[in-house]
Structure formats: C-alpha cells, structure tokens
Amino acid sequence: MKLLRYGPKGAEKPGILASDGSVRDLSGVVDDISGDTLGDAVLEKLRAIDVDSLPVVDGDPRIGPCVGNVGKFICIGLNYADHAAESGMELPAEPVIFFKATSAIIGPNDTVEIPRGSVKTDWEVELGVVIGKEAKYVSEAEAMDHVAGYCVVNDLSERDFQLHRSGQWVKGKSADTFGPIGPWLVTRDEVPDPQNLPMYLEVNGRRYQDGSTKTMHFGVATVISHLSQFMSLQPGDVVSTGTPPGVGMGQEPQNYLKPGDTMELGIEGLGVQRQDVIAG
C-alpha cells in the first residue's frame, strides 16, 4: 500500500493511493497515518479494503508529510562509503546517530526555506524507514518485523551550522522545512529488498545524486537493531538512513542552494518530491 496524508498544513487527512493514481480518502477508516495506525493489525485491516470503493479526493490537494505526529526523527550519518569520502571523513565503525527536530518536517512538495545566516544549505536524498512496532533490544534477524514501511526523505543540511558552529550536528539539520518526507509511506510488503533501491536528486534539472541503497555501509536491519540497543523505537518514528554521494559540499567548487532553486528527488517505488527554495 501507498499511504499518504493530504490537505492543509496541520489539518491533513489520511489517504491511500489507488491503482489509477487517484487519492482515496481513508478518514472513514482511520483517524490519521501515524503511530497508532502503523501496527500490523491495522495495516492488515487497510489491506482488506476495496480501495476503489473509497471516496475519491477531488482536485489537486496538497500532499502532507506521510507520517503524522512523529515522535523521533533519527538520522544516520556517513552511511555510504562514497559520501563519507566526498565529505573528507572516515567510514564509522558503528552507525553515526543524530537527530533532526520534528518541527523540521514538511510535506514532500512544500517550500524549503534557507535559514537566516545560512551560507551552505545542502541537499541529501535518503531512504526513510518508518517504525510500525516498538523495537527495544532487537536483533538484526528481528529488526525488519518492526518496520511499517519506507518513504523518501530530503535531509537538508546547513553545513556551516553543522560543522563549524560547535556542538552536535543537530544545529545544521533542524531548521524549519529541513525535513520533507513522503509523498507516500510504502508498506514493507511492497519493498522486498530495501537494499536495492535506485535514488536520485536534481537541482534545477541537473542531476547531482544518482545512487542506490545497495551501497549503504550499514543496512536497514543493522541500523534498526543498533538503534534499539540505545533507545526504544516507537511506532511512527522515522529513521533516515544516509545519503549517497553528490551533495553540494562534495562538488568542486562547492555548490549550495539559493533562493529560486528547485529540487527534485526520488527513490524507485517510493515516489518523487519537488521543492522550491526561498529565503527564510
């Protein structure tokens, strides 16, 4: 299933993508696409529905973040060998963990704002993993049972804030609008191998990132198991698993986002995002 949320910011309704490409309303079945509705029991209930019998959402509604009320937005850094190299950093012995503020989350096609004082706002296409069942001290063999599905994430980053303003990376990762997620939450049954998904990102029509999740240093199961040793993962948490090479920081000369730019990014089977960039 391709689950989604549509409507004005803060008033999104649950929906599902039908086979004909139309958005169908799920608000008569579930209240939202969030932690409470991402467990196996509810997902099985949704799978049993005749999607074509659901009301069609007319017009061209805004698509919101594919998960509502995200509790934790966890990111894995330097998780692609070639991206670590272009960043001038060594591959880590264990997953590098940092957080984005949940207030950074926006819809997949919402406008991205360059924060005040920014000189190095960068892009990062990433595979997002959405937790469906609490994970605490789980093994790698058990880890995938705790995944509800997957989504596209743009892990926007202000590199000067991230690397030169002291403290943790969170400073450069958490500006408002720095966390587009969606358009869809694709349930795990539709993604048989999350380690073989082509992904790309373009700025103003030029392709900068053209990679695949098969080059991840730590795969999804390893990441989920590792995180669960340090914190419980709760339904509705989003884990962003790292980016392939091609970020602005890795260009020669370096190239960063500016007002008027447009990004397009996508992952095979998970949909496409498009964002215009403005000054914040």
Side-chain angles (χ1 to χ4, degrees):
M1 295 179 292
K2 294 179 173 65
L3 303 174
L4 57 92
R5 301 168 71 249
Y6 70 93
K9 183 178 180 179
E12 291 92 349
K13 295 181 179 181
I16 188 169
L17 192 71
S19 57
D20 62 2
S22 63
V23 174
R24 302 299 178 110
D25 180 37
L26 274 177
S27 57
V29 184
V30 293
D31 292 332
D32 200 356
I33 306 300
S34 60
D36 291 341
T37 56
L38 294 177
D40 288 342
V42 176
L43 292 181
E44 284 302 319
K45 176 183 175 182
L46 295 180
R47 286 190 189 95
I49 293 172
D50 177 7
V51 173
D52 293 336
S53 70
L54 295 170
V56 176
V57 177
D58 293 325
D60 186 22
R62 168 187 174 267
I63 302 299
C66 61
V67 185
N69 300 314
V70 174
K72 293 192 288 294
F73 196 174
I74 309 167
C75 299
I76 306 301
L78 304 176
N79 199 25
Y80 287 71
D82 28 17
H83 172 58
E86 74 173 351
S87 302
M89 301 179 185
E90 294 183 4
L91 274 175
E94 293 188 359
V96 173
I97 303 169
F98 62 93
F99 288 80
K100 291 176 84 83
T102 55
S103 54
I105 293 173
I106 58 172
N109 305 315
D110 290 346
T111 300
V112 166
E113 299 177 3
I114 295 178
R116 293 180 185 178
S118 167
V119 292
K120 295 182 178 180
T121 293
D122 206 346
W123 56 81
E124 296 188 18
V125 59
E126 305 202 1
L127 173 67
V129 181
V130 182
I131 301 300
K133 181 173 67 174
E134 183 184 48
K136 186 174 183 178
Y137 301 123
V138 301
S139 68
E140 289 189 28
E142 300 168 313
M144 303 306 283
D145 293 337
H146 298 261
V147 172
Y150 304 91
C151 64
V152 182
V153 175
N154 190 352
D155 175 24
L156 287 140
S157 312
E158 212 297 335
R159 302 301 188 185
D160 189 57
F161 297 176
Q162 176 189 357
L163 301 174
H164 302 131
R165 295 292 296 272
S166 300
Q168 299 180 345
W169 286 2
V170 67
K171 282 184 179 179
K173 296 285 187 171
S174 293
D176 290 352
T177 76
F178 269 25
I181 63 172
W184 315 311
L185 189 169
V186 181
T187 51
R188 71 173 188 265
D189 58 299
E190 291 199 9
V191 185
D193 185 4
Q195 302 307 151
N196 190 26
L197 299 175
M199 57 207 304
Y200 75 94
L201 184 144
E202 299 176 350
V203 180
N204 302 329
R206 176 181 170 183
R207 183 159 297 198
Y208 284 92
Q209 293 187 275
D210 194 356
S212 170
T213 58
K214 67 184 177 183
T215 66
M216 274 187 190
H217 184 43
F218 301 108
V220 172
T222 301
V223 166
I224 298 306
S225 174
H226 184 78
L227 287 171
S228 78
Q229 310 308 309
F230 303 98
M231 68 195 84
S232 63
L233 302 177
Q234 301 297 324
D237 287 350
V238 176
V239 180
S240 199
T241 56
T243 198
V247 300
M249 181 174 63
Q251 305 302 308
E252 294 184 7
Q254 292 183 343
N255 184 26
Y256 295 106
L257 293 168
K258 61 187 183 302
D261 286 344
T262 299
M263 289 175 284
E264 178 181 303
L265 56 149
I267 300 177
E268 186 175 279
L270 304 185
V272 173
Q273 300 184 357
R274 294 180 181 87
Q275 297 119 20
D276 293 329
V277 179
I278 63 171

